[in-house]
Amino acid sequence: MEELTGQEQDPTDPPPTWDETAAEEAADRAVAFMRAFARPDLAAQQWHAGIAGLMTTTGAETFAYVDPAAVPATTVTDGGEVLDTSSASLAEVRVETDAGPYLVTLTRTAATDPWLVEYADPID
């Protein structure tokens, strides 16, 4: 997981588990990310600063060259729907926007760690 989150996993941290709280936290983080992402009106530096704190190191690097003016979404229109519960360390959340749905992939290394966005992509 270190290669995804940029954080070394502490063997004393409790491993993540999948429960209703984990699902709610994943959906909330995905929606928060999409609200920050769906801001094509912002200057690039401000836009990148707004999403970086919600992402893994790898995710932030992937989005480093995105031009926010090219982002078609401007509004999040729902609260997010968790689609994949097969792993307590990985979540896929569908978030509806005014430009259509996005699939937000999140990860975490321990139960006490926040969910971090690895990637977000429009769903065809």
Side-chain angles (χ1 to χ4, degrees), residues 23-97:
E24 288 173 12
E25 290 172 352
D28 289 348
R29 180 58 65 116
V31 169
F33 171 80
M34 285 306 299
R35 285 190 177 128
F37 179 83
R39 296 293 313 272
D41 58 317
L42 294 179
Q45 186 175 10
Q46 186 179 8
W47 183 83
H48 286 285
I51 66 169
L54 301 169
M55 300 188 82
T56 65
T57 302
T58 302
E61 289 171 1
T62 300
F63 280 76
Y65 299 101
V66 171
D67 178 0
V71 173
T74 61
T75 305
V76 172
T77 60
D78 79 352
E81 174 189 4
V82 176
L83 301 178
D84 183 5
T85 61
S86 61
S87 169
S89 296
L90 185 71
E92 292 183 339
V93 180
R94 178 188 178 110
V95 179
E96 294 288 339
T97 73

